[in-house]
Amino acid sequence: MASRAVYVHRDPMLKKRDDFEDILEERRHSSDLRYALKCYTPVLYKGLSPCRASELKSMVLQSDQLQYVINQVSKEMGRTAEEVQAEASTILDEMAHRLQISTVRFFAFTLSKIFKTLFRSICVNEEGIQRLQQAIHEHPVILLPSHRSYMDFLLMSYVLYTYDLSVPVIAAGMDFMGMKIVGEMLRMSGAFFIRRSFGGDKLYWAVFSEYVQIMVKSGFAPVEFFLEGTRSRTAKSLTPKLGLLNIVIDPFLKGEVFDISLVPVSISYERVLEEALYARELLGVPKPKESTSGLFKARKVLSEDYGSIHIYFGQPVSVRALAEGKVNRCQFNLTPRHIPRKPGEEIQSFVNDLAYRLVRSQEENMVLTPWVLLAFLLLQNQAVGNERGMSLDELTEQAAWVRDLSRQFGAFLHWPDQLPPSKVVSSSLSLHRGLVRISDGRVQLALEMPHSAMTSEEELLNRAVIILSCASYRNQALHLFIRPALLAVAIQAASSNKKQEVYNSFSFLWNMFSNEFILCPGAAVQDFEEACYLLVKSGALQISQQEILVSGRGHRTLAFLANILDPFLEGYQMVCRFLYEATEGLTEKQFVPAVRKFIIKHLLTGRLRYAEVLSSDLQKNALAALLRLGAVQKLKGCQGALKVNKVIVNSLEDTLGKKQAVSRSLNTHGLFLDLDKNSKLILVSVSQRRKAAHSEGSRRSTLIPTR
Amino acid sequence: MASNSSRGSSERHRIAQHRLSVIAGHLQRPLNGDTTIRATECKAQGTRPDVATEMKTVPRRRQEIMKWNGWGYNDSKFIYNKNGQAEFTGKRYRLSGMIIPGLRDWMESTFGATVQHKTPATPVLNTSAVQPPTLNEAFVEGIKSTGIPFSHDPEDRVFRSHGHCLHEIFPLREGKVGRVPDMVVWPKCHNDVVKTVELACKHNVCLIPFGGGTSVSSALECPPEETRSIVSLDTSQMNRVLWIDEKNLTAHVEAGIIGQDLERLLNESGYCTGHEPDSMEFSSLGGWVATRASGMKKNIYGNIEDLVVHIKMVTPRGVIEKSCQGPRMSTGPDVHHFILGSEGTLGVVTEVTMKIRPVPEYQKYGSVVFPNFEQGVACLREVARQRCAPASIRLMDNEQFQFGHALKPQVSSIFTSFLDGLKKFYITKFKGFDPSRLCVATLLFEGDREKVLQHEKQVYDIAAKFGGLAAGEDNGQRGYMLTFVIAYLRDLGMDYFVIGESFETSVPWDRVLDICRNVKARIVQECKDRGVQFQPLSTCRVTQTYDAGACVYFYFAFNYRGLSDPLHVYAQVEHAAREEILANGGSLSHHHGVGKLRKEWMRETVSDVGLGMLKSVKDYVDPNNIFGNRNLL
């Protein structure tokens, strides 16, 4: 429960957000060349002793930290220190950026041209920029943008250059190195490259962490990286990766800097460039390797309208303020700080909470367009099998209703209130005409009509591309609805309207889906309270000491919310079913193709409602959840073979599938699904359950019955 | 400052005379108003004291020569004279009677403290504000019968109710008095102490030993929860050098003697202890032992634990002392180390045998300017690595350098001021030092003339490797002189809404820079967060070097105008600063001690078991908590 204090429960309506300014506006009226050659004197960190990118290298190679590891490695591997040192130097050369201002100016010029053709506007909150400027002066700054597109880091550097702020150094995946010229160009504009995996390579890790830390400590430039690790193909935030975050806050924990400011940045695209690409990838068409020629082939994207981009620089987060009372910095007093060691439990849990908090604040400051809300409605309508679509009026009415609901939940919604809702709806639809079809005043997703030349499987995949693309827009607002949606399903599933029963059911779902959505570890209780608060506030629920009651007008809200989770429930259920039927010796590698095949088979029989369950993201998350809950285990030394606990998986499938029936079977069956002390799923009998409930009081969270 | 190297006895005497003038010569010889007849046993106890003892600095009624609500002597203080210039009054110090032209500007620019906003102190103690004493009649009768002088005069009692923490002095300036001792006794020798302690045990009276009264750890504060009669045991009249042993170079001294008297008396015989804490004008030998004190010149002479050979302490269980004066023993844990740092919780130190050294023939000050603090620390580290630290080496940060500059007295001639200008030009323009970043190290060398000069060269050569430029003897000497007057400056600050204090720590070398930066920044941030309207002064210096680390001193002060409870804000900031020190690998204290101010951190500092060990010693030695100042544990 360490996250309790990091996680702050606020009234979303009170959230104040800054206004935006369009930075392309000026670019459309003045010379790009002059802009690229403007006088550029960014504010610097006050503690900065000036140093060039090349000097960083020798600082890294001579650092105590690296020298220690070099000696260690040379002893372990029986190589001379010089050899290892040379290897470290090579690693560093491969990694290091060579930031130079002329390249930045070149990008400033070309990107201006490109952005003006692609986007209607690039809107930035200027107050955020001012806060950032102040932060850069006072402390080392880490920029943490959301990651939805390759555009992200070009955009970031472009914006910072525009506002005369230090261009950041950016941790980029090694895959960019494949793009010959572009890779080098990126390097010269501040990107440094890290291998995607270097698990056991001590030397690589040491070079990498020391390189990043020296940049942080010296305040050389803001360090930028993506907490999510990779671009989210689904537009849902990804579970944060902790490696780099651990590295950058280490200098604070060890007292080498007074504080570090973490600045979450939310970049929201009205239309994502990679839209259809992502959907294909999720369906199993592998992602094309980055290459320069590929980039030029992508030129056709230049002719399309990608709407607006909103970039919101969030409130800088002080690591010092958050670590107060959570991390005892004295733990570094008794060993020299340059000797690498694994962060202890206290630090791990602090960093984990911190990462979730940052991702949540990225989510909160994402600007949602009306189209995002339309995506909810269109997908839900499609799923009920309505072949004719919705009438425009109906869609408009429902959209206005969802708009009001989302505002009550604190959405950062960019809905032009000065226009009549019908106008807003139709203009959103026109920007996304690739995904929707309007005929006879009725709107539906642009799913292709049955075609004789295609196999039914091809046809299914084509439909899925559209649905997944559309879902990626819906997903942009999932963070807003996820907690109330879990509660809505929990209320349906609970055996009674007793608060404790509802909570038990909520907590089960919460546990099940915490790989799918951003749910801070250990914060089930707070999430439950937040969901209750929001639904009471919107008038959907009435909550007394003991009971949760659905109000008269609450049914529509709860139905809408519960619907949101349906595709996920169905998907997880299918994964459970697949695992139940899977043969011995299934490996992790085989899992995704196999489960895909299995699901396609079921989809073709027409028994499933959601083509979304084809998303490999969902399938992987489901597997991760089952592994976490102990329903599936990875066998060591069998090339990732999976050992499935069939009884539990089977019970889970039932529980997920029969959410309505659950309440009636509470007292009639012998065994219950429960979590043990280590948060693993187990089956217990009624009597065991009672005993446990007696001995542990109401601390027990998940008590979902099964046959 | 030098003399030739002949070692004739008359020569030695001359050197001694000279030292007198260097260290203690500025002190007025007070008239000793104390005419009480000495208890006969005391006379008989030692052989004839080696040294004349009639001229002692500390009288029983200390308030006659010392401030009751501020630092130091009544006649010495900083004031703004009628021309509005800062001046240091009195005749005792080199700075006395001088005008300090830069100080007022510095006060205004650093703190925003202007002459218009004044907060003068209550001049005279209102004795009716002092609680009437709770006397233990049986104990008083007992003391009367022994003939040991005592008093329950309010002024005497108030003087012994505090040390010099800000929160102790500040209320006194406003005329507020808290719990004070109910009675003061002045034992004159070891046996007097034995009798006093026996009586205290018999009648269950709380004893609080009082030496120089310079504590900055709330060690002398009377615990408010104490319901027994509190008796302050003032050691100041136990101040004789009982013998000097030239063969072994030791001296046996009564523990109430204060630093300047000890040095002066030993100097008369051509010796010194070399123990010079910044408080040496007022602090006592017993106090040094009880707090594990450290002296400026420890590089040559060692800290107090290196200097003591033998300690005699009176406890409720009886007298503790070793049976011989062997220079080192392997006889289990050293019992001296229960006494060193016991902070008056176990008993009263009455007599100490200390190492002495011949007065050094030659002394030379020096200073080095560095382009920045980082280079300065690197240089000190190298000096420590080569184990060639001079008697004293201190590194001030830029703020302190500027402060030191502001304290320059008015120069006598145009020529001097021209020279100053030239020096400044050379350093900032020619050498390219940034005046807002440079910092200065002050040095003191001692020993044979040749060796000193050789040593000096070695140190300056190291300094040069770190970009250091020699900056003259004057700057160095002034730096050390300021040590003694800086405490007076706080009183001036308090006259004009500025409160502040210093605190110290010790820290491994690799963390020195980090701790300096972080603690200074923490102070600034905490002040801001707590609504301090003005930018605080947050500065530090490295004052001692060791093989494995250094001692760092922080100075912190701010203008409290606009704050409703400045003391509380101050305490919170200081608390946060100490947390920061600990989080950065610094110690709880290098030499100030724990007292009551820092005891909340003792457990984490010495571990549960460590604290238990100390507690069990206390429980054995003083089961009824007669020495009830509640320090440390």
Side-chain angles (χ1 to χ4, degrees), chain B residues 43-62:
Chain B
K43 273 187 192 157
Q45 184 197 32
T47 49
R48 179 190 62 86
D50 277 359
V51 205
T53 58
E54 291 315 305
M55 298 180 295
K56 284 293 157 55
T57 309
V58 185
R60 266 173 27 200
R61 290 183 61 79
R62 297 184 190 217

Side-chain angles (χ1 to χ4, degrees), chain A residues 45 48-49 138-139 252-259 318 320 324 328-330 332-337, chain B residues 437 508 510-512 514-515 517-519 521-523 525-526 528 579-586 604:
Chain A
Y45 172 50
L48 177 66
S49 28
E138 284 176 356
H139 305 296
F252 163 74
L253 296 176
K254 288 184 177 162
E256 293 165 331
V257 292
F258 179 68
D259 198 358
S318 152
R320 169 175 283 269
E324 181 73 47
N328 182 0
R329 287 181 283 148
C330 294
F332 297 100
N333 287 357
L334 296 180
T335 37
R337 290 173 295 173
Chain B
R437 298 199 55 174
D510 70 318
R511 288 175 169 273
V512 171
D514 291 330
I515 208 170
R517 177 190 54 245
N518 291 349
V519 173
R522 178 75 180 262
I523 288 171
Q525 189 190 339
E526 293 286 336
K528 202 168 128 201
E579 293 275 356
E580 192 63 34
I581 285 173
L582 298 176
N584 282 274
E604 62 180 277

Side-chain angles (χ1 to χ4, degrees), chain B residues 83-138:
Chain B
N83 302 325
Q85 281 178 310
E87 188 183 326
F88 192 59
T89 64
K91 295 197 186 82
R92 294 172 188 271
Y93 300 87
R94 274 174 49 132
L95 204 61
S96 296
M98 288 197 189
I99 303 245
I100 303 117
L103 185 56
R104 184 171 151 185
D105 278 352
W106 182 83
M107 288 279 289
E108 281 180 18
S109 62
T110 309
F111 298 111
T114 57
V115 190
Q116 287 80 41
H117 298 94
K118 210 169 178 232
T119 45
T122 315
V124 188
L125 173 67
N126 175 10
T127 49
S128 66
V130 183
Q131 274 177 1
T134 316
L135 292 176
N136 181 316
E137 291 305 335

